[in-house]
Amino acid sequence: PRMNDSFTDPFLAEHAKEMPSGYQRAMGYRLAEWSEGHAVVIVEIGPQHMNRRQVVHGGVLASLIDTACGFSCAYSATPGAHPGTATISLSTNFLAPAVFGTLRAVGTRRGGGRRIVFASGEVFDEDGQLVALGEGSFRIGERGRA
């Protein structure tokens, strides 16, 4: 198995030392930016992301929000030491259809304590239009534990 090769930025590669999950491989997203309280996840829209109406499925948009928010809550300045998160709740609002190009999900940690934190996320299409937004609560903890 190879380490996560979806990072083009050496900083991100060093800080996210882990195998991409099966879900990440299936969805095709990658972490593009990551710092304290902030994360950006991007994905190139492909046929596997479309619903029967030929627009990006809402589950894809919700997954991008969930992933960006989770990363924004789990940053650690120590390479490879980020604690991981488990989603407790997630609400998503769909504002416009996405049909082509690159989607960019921005997650921002908004507050919380040591174990339970809150974040909001927005997904933008290639033209910069806001297509979905959401917010959630996340449990910070050991990797692999909810």
Side-chain angles (χ1 to χ4, degrees):
R2 293 181 8 197
M3 296 304 271
N4 192 333
D5 62 359
S6 66
F7 301 99
T8 55
D9 182 327
F11 173 83
L12 293 177
E14 180 66 17
H15 277 71
K17 285 189 173 185
E18 64 182 20
M19 296 291 294
S21 69
Y23 191 66
Q24 179 181 355
R25 287 190 301 272
M27 283 269 302
Y29 64 79
R30 69 179 179 85
L31 185 62
E33 297 175 25
W34 195 20
S35 59
E36 184 71 37
H38 173 81
V40 175
V41 175
I42 61 173
V43 67
E44 296 292 326
I45 296 173
Q48 71 276 20
H49 300 119
M50 305 307 241
N51 65 19
R52 290 187 174 119
R53 295 181 56 218
Q54 294 307 302
V55 298
V56 173
H57 191 284
V60 171
L61 300 173
S63 290
L64 292 172
I65 291 169
D66 183 45
T67 302
C69 286
F71 271 111
S72 77
C73 294
Y75 179 81
S76 171
T78 304
H82 58 93
T85 60
T87 305
I88 297 171
S89 69
L90 183 72
S91 66
T92 307
N93 296 292
F94 306 104
L95 307 175
V99 294
F100 69 91
T102 303
L103 293 176
R104 182 175 183 267
V106 180
T108 305
R109 181 176 172 160
R110 298 295 181 188
R114 236 174 25 96
R115 286 293 203 198
I116 306 296
V117 294
F118 307 95
S120 63
E122 299 174 312
V123 180
F124 299 91
D125 68 12
E126 192 163 279
D127 295 330
Q129 179 180 8
L130 181 64
V131 297
L133 55 88
E135 59 186 14
S137 56
F138 302 83
R139 182 178 187 276
I140 307 260
E142 296 176 34
R143 178 123 348 250
R145 297 180 53 100

